[in-house]
Amino acid sequence: MNHQVENLLNMSRLESGVIEPKMDWCDLEELIYNVLDHLKDDLQFHKVVVNTDENLPLFKLDYGLMQQIIFNLVFNASQYTPKGAKIEIKVSYNLDVDFEYNPDKLCPCVITIADDGIGFPENEIDKVFDKFYRLHNSKTGGTGLGLSIVKGFVEAQHGKVTLENREEGGSVFTLRFQTLIMNTKEISNE
């Protein structure tokens, strides 16, 4: 119930245009594990895999919005996939090789959340981000707001979210952001 109330409040904030992202350095790996810890009861019968680069930098994003985005996507995966399904969260980024250091250079950050469930009906994929939209054969409960909030929060940070069915079964949500990065791993010669 709290999740549904939170979604209603978030949708109200999105519609009123009062969402001003507070861009700051985010440790996406820490954020993901915080969300997974919060969802541990919902995920107890799923296999969750987190795949990140061991030298993952910090990304300039809104921590609170990102937390809600990841929460909504992982929560949905836990609710709409069968027990034992695998949910995989992956964070990747592309750093252009450049001999000139430029702290203002935007780099692509890509987050995917994939599952090996049944996927989405092809004729409904384009509608899932619409407010109050629920799949025709979905189970009861939910408000149909979770994915429209994901889209709104991603776009508030100048990102893009897409959904595709995977050939091997299941679906994958892809979040793409152009953002500043900060490496935190020191290079040493020990």
Side-chain angles (χ1 to χ4, degrees):
M1 185 62 147
N2 284 343
H3 180 63
Q4 290 179 350
V5 171
E6 181 82 22
N7 276 341
L8 286 169
L9 291 171
N10 284 331
M11 183 51 65
S12 173
R13 289 171 51 211
L14 273 170
E15 287 182 335
S16 66
V18 297
I19 294 196
E20 283 292 323
K22 295 169 186 67
M23 305 303 251
D24 204 354
W25 297 113
C26 290
D27 181 335
L28 287 179
E29 189 169 24
E30 172 188 276
L31 182 149
I32 289 165
Y33 282 110
N34 285 343
V35 169
L36 295 177
D37 186 55
H38 189 73
L39 287 170
K40 64 181 173 252
D41 292 340
D42 295 292
L43 294 169
Q44 64 183 330
F45 300 112
H46 289 78
K47 180 181 179 192
V48 179
V49 176
V50 178
N51 185 347
T52 62
D53 186 321
E54 70 178 71
N55 294 318
L56 195 67
L58 300 179
F59 297 94
K60 195 116 188 208
L61 296 165
D62 183 304
Y63 192 93
L65 297 182
M66 291 306 299
Q67 199 167 24
Q68 193 64 52
I69 290 165
I70 302 298
F71 181 96
N72 283 7
L73 292 173
V74 174
F75 178 78
N76 276 10
S78 76
Q79 299 300 300
Y80 297 102
T81 57
K83 286 182 180 179
K86 178 178 166 184
I87 300 169
E88 183 175 7
I89 305 163
K90 182 177 180 182
V91 180
S92 59
Y93 69 103
N94 287 340
L95 189 58
D96 291 336
V97 175
D98 193 346
F99 293 105
E100 301 277 330
Y101 173 69
N102 182 355
D104 299 321
K105 184 175 174 93
L106 298 177
C107 296
C109 169
V110 180
I111 304 166
T112 57
I113 298 175
D115 65 64
D116 59 3
I118 60 170
F120 287 78
E122 286 294 332
N123 62 334
E124 293 185 71
I125 282 183
D126 292 338
K127 301 173 191 162
V128 298
F129 295 108
D130 295 348
K131 188 171 53 168
F132 298 117
Y133 189 80
R134 295 176 38 79
L135 295 178
H136 290 299
N137 293 323
S138 64
K139 63 183 186 175
T140 58
T143 58
L145 292 175
L147 293 179
S148 59
I149 289 167
V150 164
K151 183 178 185 202
F153 283 5
V154 167
E155 290 176 351
Q157 299 174 87
H158 308 290
K160 181 174 167 75
V161 59
T162 57
L163 165 64
E164 297 174 297
N165 282 328
R166 297 169 40 172
E167 280 186 33
E168 62 272 25
S171 60
V172 59
F173 286 88
T174 303
L175 313 170
R176 296 179 195 283
F177 300 94
Q178 288 290 334
T179 183
L180 297 173
I181 64 166
M182 180 194 322
N183 278 314
T184 57
K185 306 290 186 223
E186 294 297 321
I187 298 173
S188 64
N189 187 13
E190 295 182 70

